[in-house]
């Protein structure tokens, strides 16, 4: 027992005492009812503190006390505009990993130094983005890099790793990452791996090509000697429902031969990304202006339409136009929350795949749109969640109430797991769920001072009611904060108090090895 600059007797004094809570420490140890004493940004005492003094006491009788949740796939691109990160912190999230899907910032030093100047509600760690680097060096050209360009990209990855990046992310479904061959990805991943980083990937395909895409990620892990996370793991489109049986077996097989493969997941049966995901990537080379020029050729236009029709029927389109729901559509904001089928009917068109394809093209030529795609099977969600190497992650953006019609995961991922999948459905137990949200991601990132409730650890703590915690946002009405997240402490500061955001902003920019 040690007390970190406070005495261990009844005269000890603490900034915050959480008393009478049921503490889950992030490990496989059984939960225990006990008290936690916090001074500064540290947990300094765990045990009976009934006689100790405290500036602030939190009565956690009947509540679960957990390490703060770590979101391994967070779209926090707007964090400088929304530094409080309210939609994350109200889920119990205390640390976010930004820069997923190949979109991480570069140069890393400039970005993180700038972010240091903001008062953040959460801790922020970052991945360097393959797509960001490729775009800076090669724009959106559909070709292999020259030797000089590859060296330049490797240098950008090294810069990021030298300045605190936790690894590299790829978005191999998206332009320009989709134009890269696996050798290029391996070469860049070797740089990140040698610096102790991880590799997270939006796979090249999550629908019909899913199994080949998982195999590619496993090969990258082997050839680059780097831990791999199959991020927001899923099986998209009706033809692939049930494929998680095979993908999870592939993870197990890879781990059995010594490869470090994991996954993360959000707990919903819909994905969310740009409508351009329905357009063949070759048609997007060079950007929207190049797409427009290709469409001027009748044969090329027909090929593009046919490939979009295929994707609508068999891939992310989910076989019906009403599977594609608009989340943010500046060209026609009145369609936010409505579907591609609604748009077709509004135009007086039959809701056919061909007419849907024409509308997809129109949307892209007019600024694109963010969409929700209802094309995932619930049994796959449950099966992936139960796998021991799968963590919880939102894939959610920082949200503002009333702005757009976003995927509800940005408000409810972690409470949904705890309320719906743990309490109501019994898919996994509470202790397992909390490990997937806390110590597993902390260990994966190499964070040695977060992710556990232990003396000496940083005081990132989430206190919630396991009987009432639940997400409230829906696909029809997404803008609702969850219920049952009562207190959130970030680096020793009470940031959520009785469910409400306080004025404390104690989040920090986290840099690997620094």
């Amino acid at each position: 027992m040690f007390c970190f600059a406070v005495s261990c007797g009844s005269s000890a004094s603490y900034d915050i005492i959480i008393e009478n809570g049921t503490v889950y420490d992030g490990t496989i140890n059984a939960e225990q009812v006990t008290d936690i004493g916090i001074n500064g940004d540290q947990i300094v005492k765990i045990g009976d503190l009934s006689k100790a003094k405290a500036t602030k006491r939190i009565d956690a009788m009947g509540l679960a006390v957990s390490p703060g949740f770590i979101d391994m796939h967070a779209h926090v691109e707007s964090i400088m505009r929304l530094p409080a990160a309210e939609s994350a912190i109200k889920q119990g999230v205390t640390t976010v990993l930004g820069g997923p899907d190949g979109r991480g910032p570069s140069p890393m030093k400039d970005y993180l130094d700038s972010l240091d100047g903001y008062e953040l509600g959460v801790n922020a760690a970052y991945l360097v983005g393959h797509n960001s680097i490729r775009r800076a060096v090669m724009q959106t050209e559909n070709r292999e890099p020259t030797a000089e360009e590859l060296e330049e990209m490797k240098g950008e990855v090294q810069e990021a790793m030298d300045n605190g990046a936790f690894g590299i992310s790829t978005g191999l479904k998206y332009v320009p990452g989709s134009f890269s061959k696996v050798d290029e990805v391996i070469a860049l991943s070797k740089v990140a791996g040698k610096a102790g980083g991880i590799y997270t990937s939006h796979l090249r395909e999550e629908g019909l090509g899913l199994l080949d895409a998982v195999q590619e990620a496993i090969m990258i892990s082997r050839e680059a000697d780097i831990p791999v996370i199959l991020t927001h793991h899923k099986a998209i489109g009706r033809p692939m429902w049930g494929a998680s049986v095979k993908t999870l077996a592939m993870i197990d097989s890879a781990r059995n031969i010594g490869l470090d493969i994991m996954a993360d997941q959000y707990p919903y049966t819909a994905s969310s990304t740009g409508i351009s995901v329905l357009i063949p990537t070759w048609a997007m080379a060079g950007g929207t202006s190049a797409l427009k020029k290709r469409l001027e050729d009748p044969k090329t236009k027909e090929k593009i339409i046919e490939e979009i029709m295929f994707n609508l029927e068999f891939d992310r389109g989910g076989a019906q136009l009403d599977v594609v729901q608009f989340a943010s559509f500046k060209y026609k904001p009145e369609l936010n929350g409505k579907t591609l089928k609604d748009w077709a009917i509004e135009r007086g068109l039959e809701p056919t795949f061909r007419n849907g394809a024409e509308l997809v093209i129109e949307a892209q030529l007019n600024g694109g749109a963010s969409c929700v795609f209802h094309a995932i099977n619930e049994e796959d969600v449950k099966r992936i969640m139960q796998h021991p190497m799968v963590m919880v992650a939102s894939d959610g953006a920082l949200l503002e109430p009333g702005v757009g019609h976003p995927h509800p995961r940005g408000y409810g991922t972690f409470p949904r797991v705890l309320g719906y999948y743990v309490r109501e459905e019994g898919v996994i137990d509470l202790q397992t769920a909390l490990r997937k949200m806390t110590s597993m991601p902390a260990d994966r990132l190499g964070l040695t001072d977060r992710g556990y409730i232990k003396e000496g650890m940083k005081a990132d703590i989430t206190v919630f009611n396991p009987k009432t915690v639940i997400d409230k946002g829906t696909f029809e009405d997404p803008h609702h904060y969850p219920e049952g997240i009562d207190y959130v402490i970030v680096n020793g500061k009470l940031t959520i108090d009785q469910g409400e955001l306080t004025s404390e902003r104690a989040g920090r920019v986290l840099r690997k090895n620094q």
Side-chain angles (χ1 to χ4, degrees):
M1 183 177 69
F2 45 97
C3 296
F4 293 93
V6 295
S7 68
C8 294
S10 61
S11 61
S13 180
Y14 302 90
D15 296 332
I16 299 175
I17 290 177
I18 304 170
E19 57 188 4
N20 307 317
T22 302
V23 176
Y24 295 80
D25 66 5
T27 73
I28 59 174
N29 296 334
E31 69 275 15
Q32 61 172 328
V33 176
T34 188
D35 305 334
I36 298 173
I38 298 167
N39 269 329
D41 64 355
Q42 284 190 326
I43 297 169
V44 297
K45 183 72 169 72
I46 298 172
D48 181 5
L49 299 176
S50 57
K51 297 180 180 179
K53 299 175 183 177
T55 303
K56 170 76 175 181
R57 300 188 85 92
I58 295 172
D59 185 1
M61 178 75 73
L63 303 180
V65 182
S66 166
F69 306 152
I70 299 173
D71 190 343
M72 289 291 285
H73 187 127
H75 283 282
V76 290
E77 291 87 352
S78 61
I79 195 167
M80 292 182 183
R81 186 172 60 83
L82 300 169
E86 187 170 3
S87 59
I89 198 79
K90 282 192 170 179
Q91 293 187 58
V93 171
T94 57
T95 298
V96 296
L97 180 63
D101 299 332
R103 301 176 188 171
S106 181
M108 187 62 68
K109 183 180 189 304
D110 293 348
Y111 184 85
L112 297 186
D113 286 352
S114 178
L115 192 59
D116 265 331
Y118 289 79
E119 294 184 350
L120 303 177
V122 295
N123 302 306
Y126 279 88
L127 301 165
V128 62
H130 170 227
N131 286 19
S132 301
I133 288 173
R134 196 180 213 271
R135 187 183 300 271
V137 174
M138 301 174 60
Q139 291 75 53
T140 56
E141 294 183 25
N142 184 2
R143 61 176 177 83
E144 294 185 44
T146 65
E148 292 77 12
E149 287 168 335
L150 183 60
E151 286 304 312
E152 186 177 352
M153 287 192 284
K154 288 167 66 176
E156 290 298 315
V157 175
Q158 188 66 59
E159 181 278 331
M161 299 307 299
D162 288 344
N163 287 287
F166 283 77
I168 185 170
S169 76
T170 62
L172 300 179
K173 180 67 173 175
Y174 302 123
V175 173
S178 56
F179 302 142
S180 64
K181 301 291 194 293
V182 69
D183 289 349
E184 173 188 327
V185 180
I186 290 169
L188 300 180
S189 300
K190 282 182 177 178
V191 178
K194 286 179 181 177
I198 62 172
Y199 172 97
T200 83
S201 183
H202 181 119
L203 299 173
R204 205 172 288 273
E205 293 291 343
E206 295 179 316
L208 293 176
L210 173 63
L211 300 184
D212 287 341
V214 172
Q215 190 58 49
E216 180 184 49
I218 291 171
M219 180 173 68
I220 290 166
S221 177
R222 183 184 69 227
E223 297 300 319
D225 190 21
I226 191 169
V228 162
I229 298 172
L230 312 178
T231 200
H232 53 44
H233 190 45
K234 59 177 112 35
I236 282 278
R238 289 178 184 273
M240 293 305 293
W241 287 2
S244 61
V245 172
K246 295 180 180 178
T247 62
L248 296 174
M250 292 169 76
I251 291 174
D252 291 337
S253 295
R255 293 186 64 83
N256 286 339
I257 62 170
L259 298 179
D260 193 347
I261 312 292
M262 298 177 73
D264 64 50
Q265 173 205 40
Y266 53 79
Y268 295 88
T269 56
S271 66
S272 183
T273 191
I275 199 168
S276 63
V277 77
L278 297 167
I279 301 172
T281 54
W282 62 263
M284 294 297 297
T288 301
S289 60
L291 171 65
K292 187 175 182 180
K293 190 170 183 179
R294 291 186 182 99
L295 291 166
E296 293 172 359
D297 176 67
K299 288 186 178 179
T300 305
K301 180 177 180 180
E302 182 61 23
K303 180 173 172 55
I304 292 170
I305 287 174
E306 287 178 355
E307 292 197 32
I308 296 172
M309 289 169 61
F310 181 88
N311 288 334
L312 284 169
E313 186 169 3
F314 297 111
D315 199 87
R316 205 167 291 255
Q320 299 176 87
L321 296 193
D322 58 3
V323 163
V324 183
Q325 180 185 20
F326 291 100
S328 179
F329 194 14
K330 291 182 180 179
Y331 173 57
K332 290 185 73 67
E334 67 274 14
L335 286 173
N336 287 341
K338 297 183 179 180
T339 68
L340 193 57
K341 180 179 179 180
D342 294 329
W343 191 13
I345 292 171
E346 177 198 284
R347 284 284 178 86
L349 302 171
E350 287 290 319
T352 63
F353 292 130
R354 176 167 289 275
N355 287 333
E358 293 275 12
L359 292 175
V360 168
I361 290 171
E362 181 180 339
Q364 187 61 33
L365 293 178
N366 287 277
S370 176
C371 293
V372 174
F373 299 86
H374 299 266
I376 303 172
N377 183 261
E378 176 74 359
E379 291 308 307
D380 284 312
V381 173
K382 291 178 178 178
R383 187 180 297 113
I384 292 169
M385 188 177 294
Q386 289 172 330
H387 193 277
M389 288 295 112
V390 174
M391 299 167 285
V392 177
S394 74
D395 192 15
L398 295 178
L399 301 177
E400 297 175 273
V403 177
H405 196 97
H407 195 302
R409 64 194 180 191
Y411 286 109
T413 288
F414 293 84
R416 180 170 177 79
V417 171
L418 297 172
Y420 180 70
Y421 285 100
V422 171
R423 185 180 64 243
E424 297 179 12
E425 292 294 306
V427 174
I428 54 177
D429 62 39
L430 181 57
Q431 185 181 53
T432 299
L434 292 174
R435 284 190 64 235
K436 290 172 176 286
M437 299 174 178
T438 60
S439 60
M440 281 179 66
D443 291 349
R444 174 76 296 166
L445 291 173
L447 297 175
T448 58
D449 57 355
R450 300 176 200 275
Y452 296 85
I453 291 183
K454 293 180 179 177
E455 293 177 356
M457 301 294 281
K458 296 297 183 186
D460 289 351
I461 297 175
T462 294
V463 182
F464 64 94
N465 189 331
K467 295 181 179 179
T468 64
V469 64
I470 197 69
D471 60 309
K472 300 300 291 184
T474 64
F475 290 108
E476 296 75 26
D477 185 18
H479 288 292
H480 294 280
Y481 293 114
E483 294 180 353
I485 305 290
D486 294 336
Y487 303 94
V488 180
I489 296 169
V490 180
N491 292 311
K493 299 297 183 182
L494 186 59
T495 306
I496 296 292
D497 187 1
Q498 299 183 66
E500 297 301 321
L501 190 69
T502 71
S503 60
E504 296 285 4
R505 302 288 178 268
R508 295 172 186 163
V509 176
L510 304 182
R511 292 172 169 84
K512 187 172 181 62
N513 300 325
Q514 295 182 25

